[in-house]
Amino acid sequence: MRLNVRLMKPFWDPSDPEAETLWQASFMPWLANAARNMSTAMHNYNTVLHPLGAGNVTYQWADFDFAPHAVLRLKVDDENRIPSEAPAFCDKVRTLAAEGAFGENVARIRIPSRASIAAQKAAFEEEQARYRAALAAQGGTAEGENVDAALTGADDVSVEPANEADEIAEIVESTEAAEAVQVAEAADAVESAETAESDAATEASEDALAEPVFNLDYSIWGIEYADGTVVEFDSRTR
């Protein structure tokens, strides 16, 4: 998919006052509107029934062609949408090109680069694998706790020897009522603390097991030259 941009007046040189005024006051609002309309039209086309059995149209990239000055190739998302930052990318490329940041004989500026996309997808797959492993481990832990609870309950059923029962009875009889109240209050405090700690651990576990979501980072560009050379360019540093 390609948007060809051809203006009858000079517009690419930021040092030219007239070109800068045309770019900022007229062209940038038009570009934002054009990109939004293209994106909406492409997305909507694939959400309706097509006549005569025609299939959906899926794009991988959207070109913003400012030839002979520059050609930007932007990654389209899985729903055929152009990134909302597209006009800002065009504006930044124009500024950087005027500064000589890309050098000569640039054939295309790919945003993000192929290498960046591959690295991001690989990192996301690793994140998904860790998530699945943690989810499986949590399931195993919960099952083990249920088994332990059942065994503990069975162990609690016991018969005290007669002499130990007599000793316990004597201790209970000799304990003052105030001490019994203090013991009960202390037990309640310990139980409350354990409950709070358990709730915090549960919340932390749920946060740790939040399912990962892939969001493409457009910051690393691929500067593709006419001779086939590709240079990675970190747009965050400029």
Side-chain angles (χ1 to χ4, degrees):
M1 175 180 48
R2 179 183 297 263
L3 173 65
N4 293 317
V5 181
R6 304 290 185 267
L7 299 183
M8 300 303 294
K9 296 181 180 180
F11 68 96
W12 192 251
D13 184 2
S15 64
D16 182 346
E18 293 186 2
E20 183 66 7
T21 298
L22 176 62
W23 178 270
Q24 299 296 345
S26 299
F27 183 74
M28 284 299 291
W30 174 87
L31 184 61
N33 188 55
R36 182 174 57 251
N37 290 343
M38 288 173 59
S39 183
T40 301
M42 290 190 308
H43 171 71
N44 290 347
Y45 178 82
N46 287 348
T47 61
V48 300
L49 295 176
H50 308 305
L52 303 177
N56 287 350
V57 177
T58 301
Y59 293 95
Q60 296 295 325
W61 303 90
D63 282 0
F64 287 71
D65 186 349
F66 296 92
H69 307 292
V71 177
L72 285 70
R73 177 160 291 179
L74 306 180
K75 188 72 175 72
V76 175
D77 70 16
D78 293 337
E79 295 184 348
N80 262 11
R81 289 192 178 96
I82 298 172
S84 59
E85 305 91 339
F89 291 148
C90 295
D91 186 48
K92 189 163 188 176
V93 165
R94 175 175 177 264
T95 300
L96 292 173
E99 295 173 357
F102 310 129
E104 301 294 333
N105 300 317
V106 177
R108 184 184 300 109
I109 300 172
R110 193 181 296 269
I111 305 176
S113 69
R114 292 185 183 275
S116 176
I117 294 174
Q120 290 183 60
K121 288 183 176 179
F124 180 66
E125 289 176 359
E126 292 180 359
E127 188 177 3
Q128 284 183 311
R130 288 193 297 269
Y131 167 75
R132 289 191 293 267
L135 203 61
Q138 186 187 56
T141 301
E143 183 178 351
E145 289 175 351
N146 292 336
V147 173
D148 290 343
L151 293 175
T152 301
D155 292 340
D156 288 342
V157 180
S158 61
V159 178
E160 293 290 340
N163 59 342
E164 292 182 2
D166 293 340
E167 292 177 2
I168 292 173
E170 291 176 1
I171 293 173
V172 171
E173 290 175 357
S174 64
T175 302
E176 295 181 357
E179 292 178 347
V181 171
Q182 292 176 357
V183 170
E185 291 177 347
D188 290 341
V190 170
E191 183 179 358
S192 298
E194 290 177 347
T195 300
E197 183 178 353
S198 177
D199 292 343
T202 300
E203 292 177 0
S205 177
E206 291 176 351
D207 291 340
L209 291 180
E211 185 172 1
V213 177
F214 182 75
N215 293 307
L216 186 62
D217 182 359
Y218 286 82
S219 59
I220 306 299
W221 303 352
I223 312 303
E224 303 177 357
Y225 295 89
D227 62 359
T229 302
V230 179
V231 174
E232 300 290 294
F233 181 88
D234 190 343
S235 65
R236 297 169 297 187
T237 63
R238 301 297 293 269

